Amino acid sequence: MILNFAAQSEKMDFLKTLGVETNNKGISTGVNWVSSKGEKIDSFSPVDGRLIGSVTTADRDSYETVLKTAESAFLQWRLVPAPRRGEVVRQIGEALRKYKEPLGKLVSYEMGKSLQEGYGEVQEMIDICDFAVGLSRQLHGLTMHSERSNHRMYEQWHPLGIVGIISAFNFPVAVWSWNSMLALVCGDVCIWKPSEKTPLCAIACQNIIAEIFQKNNIPEGVCGLIIGGREAGEWMAADSRIPLISATGSTRMGKAVGATVGARLGRSLLELGGNNAIIISKDADIDIAIRGALFGAVGTAGQRCTTTRRLIIQEDIYEKIREKLIVAYKQLRIGNPLDEKNHVGPLIDQDAVKLYAEAIELCKAEGGNFIVEGGRLEGDGYESGCYVKPCIAEAEPGFKIVRNETFAPILYLLKYGTIDEAIKIQNEVPQGLSSAIMTLNLREAEKFLSGAGSDCGIANVNIGTSGAEIGGAFGGEKETGGGRESGSDAWRAYMRRQTNTINYSPDLPLAQGIKFDF
């Protein structure tokens, strides 16, 4: 592995451009920032360990201010025609184009992903804005023939109300936009609780949309922000004024949120853990397979829910794939993600490094053989303590550690004989987010995509497990939560369905031919 660091510039112009200060309020009703007696949290960059800024978190009073303002805003926003709501979202997309470079740099610096991935995340936000603008003119229902003469039946969709968005650190801005831009065109209002590990990215986004809201005289409260820890998320999950909670994070967190929201008969949209695999067939294009596996395993330093964690390799080509991966890993550049020459940045914090190290030891204890050794990187340029080596272990499908998700760049190699065996290995983990097969064999590809194939929400052929486009519905099955965000008809999650029947006859016939004379 080539270790290459660029000197971190003392100038953080992108912070000033985005309105991010040394000390920030972390509670906003849309345009206005709200005072709070909450605790202060510091945001340190995993890139170099420096303190970027501090944020005052929400207390119960400031939380109530945001909720009540959102309730009032919804009464007005729901009456704005959907195409007009789409026009506001269009302007948000234009603003994101304007701020793509500084926001992408902040994402890279505060979260630790490569600069190109930071820019890519902002591009996802722009893309979902474009998608939502078109959607604003297509929020359509169905018409049905009534069994009664001179009756008309149809269905329509109405806004839900307040949508609570709880997002994770690994995509500090994109996942919020997936939810909020769709919710806005649907006529909902939003309250966002971002990860407390990346609060400054959220403050920057709030500043960007505030400009648009002011220009368009949007009611205060349409998009609120609450920065806080676990307690703030618990307030939202238990709050019956929030009909939908969209939560992205670990399976453990999702189970807690789902139980709390379910207890009040609310709705939850859960995007949780992934333990994603690529099957590499003996009929695969080997070059494509290696490239897909490499990015899938080490992109964002293994901190994507769609990260490739298992390679299921046909036994006839196992040794060939193994050797090519070893060579490919030697070419990885690990270092400052703001340097575009580097491929891999740091993990989010030292707690993540600890979990990475523990997973390696657990794998070895179960009999795993590391063909590319892992470990924490120390010395000049590694002052943050968050840089680790992407590693590869030969393992068995039944290993406990292989069945669990570790948010770090650890890749497990598994052998298979037949395609049925490969699909069985792919499916026998608790998670069900993303999956892929590398093959030029049509029968294998179609079987993988059939009902007897992958049990994941995403199944790809000849591309990796990472890099979903916003046009398709994103989400998974089993312990991944079952929710769907972003494209296709995911907008329905943010609305309520209503069936309408209109009688334009002089009589009152009942359904199913029932007679009720008097």
Side-chain angles (χ1 to χ4, degrees):
M1 298 176 188
I2 303 170
L3 311 180
N4 181 21
F5 290 87
Q8 178 61 43
S9 170
E10 294 292 338
K11 295 178 67 179
M12 294 293 174
D13 291 340
F14 56 87
L15 297 176
K16 182 178 180 181
T17 301
L18 296 166
V20 176
E21 302 172 352
T22 302
N23 292 293
N24 303 270
K25 290 181 178 178
I27 309 94
S28 172
T29 52
V31 173
N32 298 317
W33 293 93
V34 179
S35 295
S36 170
K37 295 180 181 178
E39 65 179 6
K40 185 181 78 170
I41 59 173
D42 296 324
S43 179
F44 292 92
S45 171
V47 173
D48 52 23
R50 295 183 184 183
L51 175 65
I52 313 173
S54 301
V55 180
T56 301
T57 61
D59 61 6
R60 192 72 201 200
D61 287 343
S62 58
Y63 171 83
E64 284 298 322
T65 298
V66 173
L67 259 293
K68 289 176 180 177
T69 308
E71 282 187 301
S72 177
F74 174 62
L75 300 180
Q76 302 173 64
W77 184 245
R78 66 182 178 178
L79 300 178
V80 176
R84 171 61 184 149
R85 299 192 296 251
E87 168 57 19
V88 174
V89 170
R90 185 194 67 78
Q91 293 177 38
I92 292 173
E94 290 303 309
L96 289 169
R97 286 177 170 87
K98 174 183 174 183
Y99 290 105
K100 179 177 178 178
E101 182 177 355
L103 184 56
K105 286 181 178 177
L106 177 57
V107 168
S108 178
Y109 190 56
E110 188 175 33
M111 186 268 149
K113 63 176 60 177
S114 73
L115 185 57
Q116 287 302 316
E117 289 184 86
Y119 290 152
E121 182 165 349
V122 181
Q123 186 60 49
E124 279 192 47
M125 302 174 77
I126 294 167
D127 292 344
I128 199 67
C129 285
D130 289 350
F131 179 87
V133 172
L135 182 64
S136 68
R137 294 180 181 270
Q138 301 181 68
L139 300 173
H140 51 75
L142 300 172
T143 60
M144 292 79 74
H145 287 281
S146 172
E147 66 183 50
R148 291 169 284 186
S149 298
N150 300 319
H151 283 59
R152 181 164 68 90
M153 290 180 64
Y154 68 97
E155 67 179 24
Q156 59 182 332
W157 295 81
H158 296 299
L160 274 177
I162 301 173
V163 174
I165 303 166
I166 301 173
S167 63
F169 74 86
N170 59 329
F171 280 84
V173 295
V175 172
W176 163 72
S177 70
W178 290 1
N179 286 274
S180 60
M181 297 306 120
L182 294 193
L184 286 179
V185 298
C186 289
D188 300 315
V189 299
C190 304
I191 295 175
W192 179 22
K193 193 205 87 66
S195 170
E196 64 272 28
K197 296 182 180 183
T198 51
L200 302 181
C201 288
I203 288 170
C205 289
Q206 197 70 24
N207 288 338
I208 290 170
I209 63 174
E211 292 183 15
I212 305 304
F213 290 165
Q214 282 184 303
K215 186 170 69 173
N216 289 273
N217 296 315
I218 301 303
E220 185 71 5
V222 167
C223 262
L225 175 67
I226 294 173
I227 291 177
R230 179 176 177 177
E231 186 179 39
E234 290 173 345
W235 294 340
M236 293 173 66
D239 199 324
S240 59
R241 294 170 293 181
I242 306 176
L244 172 65
I245 295 288
S246 176
T248 303
S250 67
T251 297
R252 177 192 58 77
M253 180 275 286
K255 287 180 177 179
V257 169
T260 301
V261 175
R264 61 177 174 85
L265 298 182
R267 301 188 192 184
S268 56
L269 195 168
L270 302 176
E271 298 288 355
L272 310 176
N275 191 353
N276 316 294
I278 298 177
I279 297 171
I280 303 182
S281 162
K282 63 182 179 180
D283 294 323
D285 181 315
I286 300 300
D287 289 339
I288 288 179
I290 295 297
R291 289 172 66 86
L294 185 65
F295 175 73
V298 308
T300 324
Q303 298 173 111
R304 289 178 175 233
C305 51
T306 55
T307 290
T308 304
R309 309 205 182 277
R310 298 174 295 147
L311 279 190
I312 305 168
I313 307 168
Q314 210 283 329
E315 56 192 10
D316 293 350
I317 59 167
Y318 180 85
E319 292 300 326
K320 184 176 183 179
I321 297 294
R322 178 185 186 275
E323 294 308 310
K324 283 184 174 291
L325 284 170
I326 292 172
V327 172
Y329 267 59
K330 289 179 180 178
Q331 298 176 52
L332 291 175
R333 292 178 176 270
I334 308 168
N336 186 327
L338 293 176
D339 180 350
E340 296 187 51
K341 295 178 182 177
N342 292 325
H343 304 112
V344 184
L347 295 180
I348 185 63
D349 55 27
Q350 295 190 32
D351 287 340
V353 175
K354 181 180 178 182
L355 292 174
Y356 157 88
E358 289 174 352
I360 290 174
E361 292 307 312
L362 286 170
C363 183
K364 289 179 178 179
E366 290 191 86
N369 173 42
F370 278 82
I371 59 173
V372 175
E373 289 289 343
R376 181 174 177 169
L377 295 169
E378 299 177 345
D380 185 33
Y382 301 112
E383 289 83 3
S384 72
C386 298
Y387 290 89
V388 301
K389 299 176 184 176
C391 56
I392 305 174
E394 296 179 300
E396 295 295 331
F399 285 5
K400 184 177 179 181
I401 191 61
V402 172
R403 292 176 55 80
N404 292 330
E405 179 188 41
T406 303
F407 233 49
I410 305 174
L411 180 64
Y412 304 110
L413 304 190
L414 313 169
K415 287 183 183 178
Y416 80 89
T418 67
I419 186 62
D420 288 335
E421 181 185 355
I423 291 172
K424 181 174 183 293
I425 294 170
Q426 142 71 38
N427 290 345
E428 62 184 6
V429 295
Q431 310 84 0
L433 179 53
S434 187
S435 59
I437 187 170
M438 299 291 182
T439 185
L440 300 179
N441 183 314
L442 180 62
R443 290 179 175 174
E444 286 185 335
E446 290 294 338
K447 184 162 194 173
F448 181 73
L449 300 178
S450 73
S454 170
D455 64 0
C456 294
I458 299 169
N460 298 326
V461 175
N462 293 328
I463 61 171
T465 59
S466 280
E469 298 181 27
I470 60 94
F474 180 89
E477 302 299 327
K478 301 188 293 188
E479 287 193 359
T480 300
R484 292 297 185 274
E485 296 173 330
S486 193
S488 186
D489 65 350
W491 61 272
R492 295 174 184 240
Y494 306 92
M495 304 194 82
R496 60 182 177 87
R497 187 196 310 246
Q498 183 182 79
T499 300
N500 307 113
T501 305
I502 299 171
N503 175 11
Y504 56 93
S505 77
D507 301 315
L508 185 63
L510 302 179
Q512 292 85 45
I514 294 173
K515 302 293 184 181
F516 187 73
D517 296 324
F518 64 93

